[in-house]
């Protein structure tokens, strides 16, 4: 699937990169891994020549490739759900050239050896770049801190106990202090487990109607409020994973207004679905944190638009039929998200909830800043990490066309609009829809 890095030429394409204030119809030339020319008629004399792959940009957009802060690749330990190879293939198909892997593997990624193994495995596979996130505590048990210096040296870009919340204030305080020494962001899965024990979905009118135990949004707000106090006192880099509640949005907006170094991400599913999606007991819609109310979704959309929520992250969480084709109570939470991210978000742009510029920023420059990697950008001389999109192309989310090993998506069988046609990482084509399934 991966091609040798011959020259690539995009002619008359709408190139959009808000980090440079760019939104123009131009030609773009990629040679030896970099963007070498960008401008009107930049492809003159090159397009159509030997060894050059030329892409007609008519009706297409060229964007910096996407960066996902939050994916679960299940390797090591649960490769039947996903492995690094299938996860990276799904990422490339979704337009991502960079993807962060959460540490809740089996064993947990809490050591240099596991981080190194993941990085080496991803290099061997090629394709999208993998950036491991190390655990905050050993075994994600919430007690003893990991050797964050080792994790960082091995390639970890952040630390998180995602899947679990760091509930102890004392441990969280030490984690923020320790991570600050290594300039690593601490990513919190904000959930007061004492308030969510046994929960199945968002606590509200619908959970009451369905007779399912609820996950109250205040369980998220309490942790975010406490962590912001700690982060402020310590001066650490704090990042909230998958923000889902109106209350957390308010707290973040206030903290940012006071100049705190805090950031946050939101998932495509929390922006596009409410708890009403659970009415048919569809286990594909069981996620953690849960799908929330209309008021929460409206707050998330506004916060993404105004930058209170910095980045979009998929929380791609593959599960096999073993974990999903069962009673609602016993189903594992999570849905896949890498390959449906772009069309779902383009829907928000079309409906006027979000500008295209903010969407691109939230998928590229904003997440890159958070993990301190070179942001994909459309500039002469920059590394060629880019994605070609047909914004009008309709396609059906069919299991056989998804690269992910797992198919736990509520959008299966549904038609969406907007398709990734080509993903390029470091000048190499890592996904080409023309070779599709
Ligand atoms: Zn989480």
């Amino acid at each position: 699937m991966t091609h040798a890095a011959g020259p690539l030429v995009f002619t008359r394409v709408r190139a959009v990169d808000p980090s440079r204030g760019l939104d123009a119809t131009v030609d773009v030339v990629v040679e030896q891994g970099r963007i070498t020319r960008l401008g009107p008629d930049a492809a003159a004399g090159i397009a159509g020549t030997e060894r050059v792959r030329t892409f007609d940009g008519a009706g297409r957009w060229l964007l910096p490739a996407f960066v996902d802060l939050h994916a679960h690749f299940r390797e090591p330990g649960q490769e039947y759900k996903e492995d690094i190879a299938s996860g990276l293939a799904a990422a490339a198909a979704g337009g991502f050239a960079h993807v962060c892997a959460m540490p809740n593997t089996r064993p947990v990624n809490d050591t240099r050896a596991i981080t190194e193994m993941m990085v080496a495995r991803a290099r061997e596979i090629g394709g999208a770049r993998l950036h491991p996130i190390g655990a905050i505590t050993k075994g994600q048990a919430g007690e003893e801190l990991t050797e964050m210096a080792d994790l960082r040296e091995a390639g970890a870009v952040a630390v998180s106990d995602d899947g679990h919340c760091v509930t102890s204030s004392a441990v969280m305080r030490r984690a923020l202090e320790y991570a600050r020494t290594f300039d690593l962001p601490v990513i919190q899965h904000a959930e007061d487990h004492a308030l969510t024990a046994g929960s199945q979905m968002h606590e509200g009118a619908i959970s009451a109607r369905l007779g399912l135990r609820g996950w109250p949004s205040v369980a998220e707000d309490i942790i975010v409020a406490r962590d912001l106090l700690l982060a402020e006192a310590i001066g650490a880099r704090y990042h909230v994973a998958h923000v889902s509640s109106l209350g957390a949005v308010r707290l973040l907006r206030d903290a940012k207004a006071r100049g705190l170094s805090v950031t946050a991400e939101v998932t495509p599913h929390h922006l596009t679905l409410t708890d009403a999606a659970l009415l048919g007991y569809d286990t594909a819609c069981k996620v953690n944190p849960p799908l929330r109310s209309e008021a929460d979704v409206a707050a998330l959309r506004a916060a993404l638009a105004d930058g209170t929520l910095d980045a979009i992250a998929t929380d791609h969480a593959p599960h096999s039929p073993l974990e999903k084709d069962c009673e609602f109570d016993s189903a594992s939470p999570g849905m896949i998200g890498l390959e449906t991210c772009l069309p779902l978000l383009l829907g928000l742009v079309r409906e006027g909830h979000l500008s295209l510029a903010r969407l691109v920023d939230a998928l590229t420059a904003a997440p890159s800043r958070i993990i301190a990697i070179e942001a994909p950008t459309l500039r002469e001389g920059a590394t060629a990490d880019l994605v070609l999109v047909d914004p009008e192309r309709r396609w059906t989310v069919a299991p056989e066309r998804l690269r992910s090993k797992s198919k736990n998506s509520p959008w299966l069988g549904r038609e969406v609009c907007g398709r990734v046609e080509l993903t390029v990482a470091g000048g190499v084509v890592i996904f080409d829809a023309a070779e599709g399934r």
Side-chain angles (χ1 to χ4, degrees):
M1 191 162 43
T2 301
H3 298 268
L8 307 172
V9 172
F10 302 88
T11 57
R12 303 280 303 160
V13 71
R14 180 181 172 192
V16 181
D17 181 0
S19 74
R20 304 189 50 228
L22 174 70
D23 187 345
T25 300
V26 292
D27 295 345
V28 176
V29 179
V30 170
E31 293 165 295
Q32 296 187 339
R34 296 195 172 268
I35 297 172
T36 49
R37 300 186 217 185
L38 187 155
D41 303 317
I46 303 175
T49 58
E50 211 185 335
R51 286 187 55 253
V52 171
R53 291 190 73 194
T54 302
F55 300 89
D56 180 4
R60 309 278 196 300
W61 298 346
L62 193 69
L63 312 175
F66 309 150
V67 177
D68 190 7
L69 294 174
H70 194 144
H72 299 275
F73 281 173
R74 310 300 189 200
E75 181 178 350
Q78 293 180 308
E79 290 84 352
Y80 68 98
K81 298 185 184 189
E82 193 82 288
D83 57 25
I84 291 173
S86 63
L88 290 178
F96 293 87
H98 298 268
V99 57
C100 296
M102 280 296 179
N104 60 336
T105 45
R106 295 185 186 176
V108 165
N109 179 14
D110 57 3
T111 60
R112 172 197 290 268
I114 297 172
T115 304
E116 280 174 350
M117 180 282 288
M118 291 168 76
V119 170
R121 183 86 191 96
R123 280 222 181 102
E124 186 184 299
I125 292 159
R129 310 292 156 88
L130 182 83
H131 303 282
I133 292 175
I136 296 172
T137 62
K138 291 184 180 166
Q140 295 192 309
E143 288 160 13
E144 203 183 335
L145 297 184
T146 53
E147 290 302 337
M148 294 182 193
D150 283 359
L151 294 172
R152 195 185 68 158
E153 251 180 56
V157 292
V159 287
S160 179
D161 272 0
D162 187 57
H164 305 275
C165 183
V166 178
T167 41
S168 157
S169 302
V171 172
M172 191 60 181
R173 178 187 174 185
R174 279 191 284 117
L176 288 164
E177 285 171 347
Y178 198 41
R180 185 187 57 180
T181 320
F182 310 111
D183 201 28
L184 283 171
V186 176
I187 303 179
Q188 177 71 290
H189 168 116
E191 171 179 3
D192 185 336
H193 293 293
L195 287 169
T196 61
S199 65
Q200 299 294 323
M201 65 174 294
H202 173 62
E203 181 180 290
I206 293 178
S207 66
R209 196 165 132 196
L210 295 178
L212 293 174
R213 184 172 303 189
W215 194 131
S217 52
V218 72
E220 177 170 332
D221 308 346
I222 283 172
I223 297 297
V224 172
R226 180 206 67 182
D227 287 353
L228 289 171
L229 293 170
L230 287 171
E232 182 168 20
I234 292 160
R237 288 170 63 200
Y238 173 64
H239 177 83
V240 189
H242 43 52
V243 173
S244 71
S245 74
L246 182 157
V249 163
R250 278 190 194 140
L251 290 161
L252 286 162
R253 188 173 279 130
D254 172 64
K256 287 190 162 191
R258 287 185 295 113
L260 267 69
S261 161
V262 300
T263 53
E265 69 189 36
V266 61
T267 72
H269 50 273
H270 288 109
L271 289 164
T272 52
L273 294 170
T274 66
D275 56 350
L278 277 302
L279 281 168
Y281 295 94
D282 181 1
T283 58
C285 291
K286 182 175 177 181
V287 286
N288 187 15
L291 301 175
R292 298 211 186 270
S293 70
E294 279 178 31
D296 293 302
V297 173
L300 295 175
R301 289 174 172 186
L304 177 62
D306 74 17
T308 300
L309 297 175
D310 304 79
I312 290 155
T314 65
D315 196 2
H316 176 82
H319 289 297
S320 82
L322 278 175
E323 294 85 24
K324 284 293 195 181
D325 292 351
C326 56
E327 290 293 305
F328 195 88
D329 281 16
S330 21
S332 298
M335 66 171 76
I336 55 170
L338 286 163
E339 295 172 81
T340 46
C341 178
L342 178 75
L344 295 177
L345 292 162
L346 286 180
L348 292 185
V349 173
R350 245 176 259 117
E351 291 161 18
H353 298 293
L354 193 63
S355 69
L356 177 61
R358 181 75 257 279
L359 168 60
V360 173
D361 178 57
L363 284 169
T364 60
S368 300
R369 255 193 316 275
I370 293 165
I371 54 168
I373 61 166
E374 179 193 338
T377 183
L378 303 182
R379 174 173 52 76
E380 285 182 3
T383 301
D385 287 348
L386 34 91
V387 57
L388 184 69
V389 168
D390 182 344
E392 302 301 331
R393 175 69 177 255
R394 299 187 160 276
W395 59 282
T396 300
V397 184
E400 64 274 13
R401 74 181 297 159
L402 295 174
R403 265 67 174 173
S404 178
K405 274 192 193 179
S406 291
K407 315 296 175 186
N408 53 310
S409 166
W411 285 282
L412 281 192
R414 298 232 223 141
E415 193 182 68
V416 292
C417 184
R419 188 172 84 146
V420 170
E421 305 245 287
L422 195 78
T423 308
V424 176
V428 176
V429 173
I430 61 169
F431 171 75
D432 184 348
E435 298 174 354
R437 302 185 166 191

